[in-house]
Amino acid sequence: MNLPPFLVRITAFAVPVVVICCGPGCNQGPNFTTVPVSGKITVDGTPLPAGQVTYTFVGEGVGVPSGGAIKDGEYMIYTGGKAGAPVGKYKVTVTPVMMPSADGKMPKTNFNSKFSEPSKTTLTVDVTATPPPNAYDLKLTK
């Protein structure tokens, strides 16, 4: 099924936002504690200019979906309106911003699409209270 380009753009942006804002864990209220989480995202050494990063909790207990925008290769995670993420293990997906060209065609992603698919991504992070330097940097490949 071919969707109009504007609908593809809206869907590419809206799905991560809905997951982050309305996914499991949103009803936990302010009772969860977060620690700062930020990092850099590169594709074969070059900063990813824009997109969305999503952390999906995979550890023990109740998880809270977390995410943030990518700008000039840098991102900061937010969870339920709070800066940071709860301590735990997360699977990470990265979604590029997909703006159509003047002729309405969607560009190809500049990194391997497996990093955008929750069932295929190989990216994981362990969020800790005292992470080592660059602990949340993500290195993507083409």
Side-chain angles (χ1 to χ4, degrees):
M1 174 166 90
N2 289 332
L3 297 173
F6 76 91
L7 190 54
V8 172
R9 275 191 320 232
I10 291 169
T11 303
F13 176 76
V15 170
V17 170
V18 169
V19 168
I20 292 165
C21 296
C22 302
C26 284
N27 60 357
Q28 291 182 9
N31 296 329
F32 60 90
T33 303
T34 61
V35 296
V37 177
S38 62
K40 296 179 181 179
I41 299 179
T42 57
V43 179
D44 292 333
T46 303
L48 183 65
Q52 176 77 29
V53 61
T54 303
Y55 280 29
T56 304
F57 189 78
V58 294
E60 302 266 333
V62 178
V64 180
S66 307
I70 303 163
K71 184 176 180 200
D72 299 325
E74 297 186 8
Y75 74 96
M76 183 181 238
I77 292 295
Y78 291 87
T79 306
K82 294 180 179 182
V87 170
K89 185 172 178 105
Y90 293 83
K91 184 183 282 194
V92 181
T93 54
V94 178
T95 309
V97 171
M98 300 296 288
M99 298 300 290
S101 61
D103 62 3
K105 293 183 180 178
M106 296 300 287
K108 292 183 178 182
T109 59
N110 64 342
F111 59 84
N112 190 316
S113 64
K114 74 178 180 182
F115 300 117
S116 297
E117 299 178 41
S119 63
K120 295 182 181 178
T121 186
T122 55
L123 300 171
T124 61
V125 296
D126 288 313
V127 172
T128 65
T130 55
N134 308 316
Y136 307 121
D137 288 358
L138 304 170
K139 296 177 181 176
L140 311 181
T141 57
K142 291 186 179 180

